[in-house]
């Protein structure tokens, strides 16, 4: 169970120390653990979801060791990450030997949550939204729709319901 950014960093450092020399990878924190990097600590999370930014050679070993530590790389091929997300990763200043760790940009993070919209997603998004500009978020959502694998209308309806609740003017015409 993880409840703070320091918990997440400590676990990633534990993973880092267990990796052999010559191995390097860049990981991006997604899911509930990313909220700690946005300084939102309203709930705990059971695992640390990460995506591989680079270091595919290290992927299998990191996945094996990570699973033992509550670090899951399962989201890599599943999470919706719109075009250009790689250029907006916020890299952590913490020092690691084998890893470079970043966190998904909060706008991209919200888009990934909107596309999933299960479990804690709605509460998590509502915790992050006050820090974001609704026009920028809507623009990124609209621009990312061509990359979305799934029914665009479902994502648009989810946005419109959320926008209505939050008092946003930006909505899709359905």
């Amino acid at each position: 169970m993880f409840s703070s950014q320091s918990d997440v960093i400590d676990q990633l450092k534990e993973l880092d120390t267990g990796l052999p020399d010559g191995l390097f990878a860049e990981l991006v924190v997604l899911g509930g653990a990313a909220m700690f990097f946005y300084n939102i600590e309203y709930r705990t999370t059971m695992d640390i979801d990460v995506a591989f930014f680079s270091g595919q050679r290290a992927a299998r070993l990191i996945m094996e060791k990570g699973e033992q530590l509550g670090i899951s790389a399962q989201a890599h091929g599943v999470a919706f990450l719109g075009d250009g997300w790689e250029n907006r990763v916020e890299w952590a200043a913490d020092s690691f030997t084998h890893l470079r760790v970043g966190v998904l940009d909060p706008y991209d993070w919200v888009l990934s949550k909107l596309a999933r919209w299960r479990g804690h997603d709605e509460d998590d998004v509502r915790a992050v939204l006050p820090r974001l500009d609704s026009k920028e978020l809507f623009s990124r959502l609209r621009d990312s729709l061509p990359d979305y694998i799934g029914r665009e209308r479902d994502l648009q309806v989810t946005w419109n319901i959320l926008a209505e609740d939050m008092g946003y003017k930006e909505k899709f015409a359905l």
Side-chain angles (χ1 to χ4, degrees), residues 6-159:
S6 63
D7 288 349
V8 173
I9 294 294
D10 289 347
Q11 207 67 350
L12 290 168
K13 285 184 178 181
E14 181 74 23
L15 172 64
D16 186 61
T17 60
L19 297 174
D21 290 340
L23 197 68
F24 183 78
E26 294 176 307
L27 303 177
V28 179
V29 177
L30 312 167
M35 291 191 312
F36 303 140
F37 289 85
Y38 311 142
N39 295 313
I40 297 172
E41 298 181 355
Y42 85 98
R43 73 170 179 93
T44 60
T45 185
M46 297 297 292
D47 62 359
I48 302 166
D49 294 313
V50 298
F52 286 94
F53 189 83
S54 70
Q56 294 302 322
R57 188 175 74 84
R60 183 176 302 123
L61 183 58
I62 289 172
M63 286 173 151
E64 289 171 8
K65 291 195 175 293
E67 287 297 327
Q68 298 166 9
L69 298 170
I71 300 168
S72 172
Q74 303 301 322
H76 183 68
V78 178
F80 171 60
L81 300 171
D83 190 41
W85 72 271
E86 303 94 337
N87 302 321
R88 296 183 293 266
V89 170
E90 298 173 3
W91 296 102
D94 294 279
S95 179
F96 298 89
T97 303
H98 304 284
L99 300 174
R100 182 177 182 211
V101 175
V103 65
L104 199 59
D105 167 84
Y107 289 91
D108 292 321
W109 181 86
V110 168
L111 296 183
S112 75
K113 289 288 195 171
L114 285 172
R116 184 172 170 253
W117 213 245
R118 289 184 300 209
H120 293 284
D121 293 336
E122 184 174 354
D123 292 336
D124 292 352
V125 166
R126 288 180 187 279
V128 173
L129 284 179
R131 300 164 185 245
L132 305 180
D133 178 75
S134 63
K135 290 180 182 129
E136 173 69 17
L137 183 57
F138 183 71
S139 175
R140 288 211 202 165
L141 175 57
R142 192 179 53 235
D143 293 348
S144 295
L145 280 176
D147 298 325
Y148 181 59
I149 299 171
R151 289 185 33 169
E152 281 185 26
R153 185 171 173 82
D154 292 346
L155 191 55
Q156 292 169 336
V157 167
T158 299
W159 170 265

